Amino acid sequence: CFFFSSRRRHTRCSGVSWARRCVQETDIIFGVIIDTFADLRDRNTKIEFDSENVCFICDLKKWDFLKNGLSFKEHTTKKHNLWNYVYYIAHLKNTHPKEMSGIESYVHKKLANGDLTWLPIQKSLSLEERKAIKQDNAEDVLDLSLIHI
């Protein structure tokens, strides 16, 4: 009877440990799945944030435009419209080099070499103009205040 009951206890323990191991393995698998989805969600959130707050062409932040009184939406839809750059590159690919203007030839050579220095990275004419105007205004105010002293 001892042998029989001992064997039962061993079987019962095996069943419990087997069930416990199955639960642990499924917990590990579900944990990996949940972490993967959390990483994907974080990555998508970052992509969405960047698409709404960073210019794809010049990589300037929305805040840079807002603090200078410029419209970020106008900048990304008119000044640095992604599709205008795509169409320009397609135009260069479909144009014979002898029919290109000087600027087109320059950009075509840069593209052929994989050089992206022709893009306005960290540059925006409207932002630079606005900063120059603010600088001039600040200098004028300083000059006027010095005259009154």
Side-chain angles (χ1 to χ4, degrees):
C1 192
F2 178 74
F3 173 74
F4 197 73
S5 98
S6 165
R7 183 164 174 94
R8 263 189 178 166
R9 203 172 338 133
H10 178 69
T11 307
R12 201 176 320 132
C13 287
S14 295
V16 170
S17 64
W18 176 80
R20 185 179 296 145
R21 183 167 171 98
C22 285
V23 168
Q24 288 174 343
E25 289 176 1
T26 56
D27 285 348
I28 290 170
I29 291 169
F30 286 137
V32 169
I33 291 171
I34 290 168
D35 283 348
T36 303
F37 278 114
D39 289 343
L40 287 172
R41 186 185 63 238
D42 291 345
R43 195 174 308 153
N44 286 340
T45 302
K46 184 181 180 337
I47 289 170
E48 185 178 321
F49 178 82
D50 282 349
S51 69
E52 293 174 1
N53 296 298
V54 179
C55 176
F56 187 79
I57 302 299
C58 67
D59 198 40
L60 289 171
K61 312 292 184 273
K62 184 177 186 177
W63 172 246
D64 294 328
F65 292 93
L66 294 179
K67 72 180 180 183
N68 286 293
L70 296 170
S71 168
F72 181 73
K73 184 175 177 106
E74 181 181 337
H75 171 76
T76 56
T77 57
K78 294 182 180 172
K79 309 283 187 192
H80 285 174
N81 187 331
L82 171 64
W83 290 108
N84 290 342
Y85 284 84
V86 171
Y87 296 143
Y88 185 67
I89 292 170
H91 165 73
L92 293 177
K93 300 250 184 220
N94 294 324
T95 304
H96 193 276
K98 290 184 179 180
E99 297 174 358
M100 291 182 184
S101 68
I103 294 174
E104 290 174 336
S105 296
Y106 172 79
V107 173
H108 186 263
K109 286 178 188 174
K110 293 281 188 179
L111 283 172
N113 294 330
D115 186 0
L116 299 178
T117 56
W118 64 277
L119 288 170
I121 298 171
Q122 292 294 313
K123 296 176 186 167
S124 168
L125 286 177
S126 58
L127 192 59
E128 289 174 8
E129 288 171 356
R130 183 58 63 106
K131 285 181 179 179
I133 291 169
K134 280 188 169 184
Q135 181 67 30
D136 289 343
N137 288 343
E139 289 173 1
D140 291 343
V141 168
L142 183 61
D143 289 343
L144 286 175
S145 61
L146 290 176
I147 291 172
H148 291 301
I149 294 180

